[in-house]
């Protein structure tokens, strides 16, 4: 698999792609400013994207990650997430955070890469979106907060 991952200006973020991960365009646009956008391309075609926002004290939050439906389950999401984890490790970040639903393959996707559950944001999806959100026919109510903590470097 040949995948090129690069940082792009937030104003050029592929909104249609990011909508796969977050159904609210308003929310995406609100967190894009102040965030860093990365795209993953294969043979010149953008197949994946993610948005990361600084959270203070060396923490960064993965706000969104998505792969084009036609290219899902091909390893691109894993490659992009691994790249992001390494990028922020090398930048000296203290931890990478993410919020996701309480069930579904996305939860395994993050935990496989070392993310651990830190808290539950009860009713996040009903309080923050105008329409109910369903995944596999089940309504999403609560958001699980996860974090991958980077070991601190000993001087
Ligand atoms: C989550 C996402 C970025 C993963 O990207 P990907 O390129 O499909 O991921 P990979 O091919 O590396 O596969 C990672 C794992 O997810 C699984 N997976 C990916 N898409 C899946 C789907 N639609 N249904 C079930 N499992 C899926 C893969 O089978 C794989 O699991 P395995 O290692 O046990 O086989 C991508 O599926 C996506 O864009 N989903 C929609 C948006 C989304 O939910 N984003 C996350 C918001 S929290």
């Amino acid at each position: 698999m040949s995948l090129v991952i690069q940082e792009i200006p937030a104003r050029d973020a592929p909104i249609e792609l990011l909508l796969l991960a977050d159904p609210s365009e308003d929310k995406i646009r609100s967190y894009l400013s102040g965030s860093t956008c990365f795209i993953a391309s294969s043979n010149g075609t953008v197949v994946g994207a993610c948005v990361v926002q600084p959270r203070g004290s060396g923490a960064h939050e993965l706000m969104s990650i998505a792969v084009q439906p036609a290219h899902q389950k091909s390893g691109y999401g894993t490659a992009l997430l691994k790249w992001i984890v390494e990028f922020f490790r090398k930048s000296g970040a203290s931890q990478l955070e993410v919020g996701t639903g309480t069930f579904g393959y996305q939860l395994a996707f993050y935990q496989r890469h070392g993310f651990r559950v830190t808290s539950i944001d009860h009713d996040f999806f009903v309080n923050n979106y105008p329409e109910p959100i369903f995944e596999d026919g089940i309504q999403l109510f609560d958001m699980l907060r996860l974090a991958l903590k980077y070991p601190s470097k000993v001087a």
Side-chain angles (χ1 to χ4, degrees):
M1 178 210 312
S2 87
L3 199 65
V4 176
I5 298 171
Q6 65 189 118
E7 187 179 332
I8 60 163
R11 65 175 180 278
D12 296 334
I15 302 287
E16 288 296 320
L17 183 49
L18 296 173
L19 279 167
L20 294 172
D22 186 335
S24 167
E25 185 168 340
D26 287 347
K27 272 177 73 70
I28 295 172
R29 291 197 185 278
S30 73
Y31 60 63
L32 264 180
S33 61
S35 295
T36 306
C37 183
F38 300 89
I39 53 165
S41 311
S42 175
N43 297 323
T45 300
V46 175
V47 293
C50 75
V51 177
V52 181
Q53 188 170 80
R55 283 291 183 207
S57 305
H60 295 262
E61 179 169 355
L62 183 60
M63 306 300 290
S64 173
I65 181 167
V67 168
Q68 295 284 8
H71 294 280
Q72 288 177 13
K73 297 190 186 178
S74 305
Y76 291 130
T78 295
L80 178 56
L81 184 61
K82 275 186 174 170
W83 191 95
I84 292 296
V85 165
E86 280 314 303
F87 179 89
F88 284 94
R89 184 195 308 279
K90 285 180 197 150
S91 80
S94 59
Q95 64 176 19
L96 196 55
E97 303 170 6
V98 71
T100 191
T102 49
F103 57 89
Y105 70 93
Q106 295 92 340
L107 189 51
F109 176 65
Y110 296 121
Q111 298 203 50
R112 195 176 285 126
H113 294 280
F115 286 79
R116 301 273 304 273
V117 176
T118 52
S119 61
I120 303 173
D121 200 337
H122 287 280
D123 288 321
F124 176 89
F125 293 105
V126 278
N127 291 336
N128 288 276
Y129 291 87
E131 303 289 336
I133 302 173
F134 290 86
E135 225 13 274
D136 294 331
I138 307 167
Q139 187 175 355
L140 277 174
F141 288 99
D142 312 310
M143 174 185 268
L144 277 187
R145 305 275 326 160
L146 296 96
L148 181 146
K149 295 182 196 298
Y150 295 113
S152 54
K153 289 196 180 102
V154 180

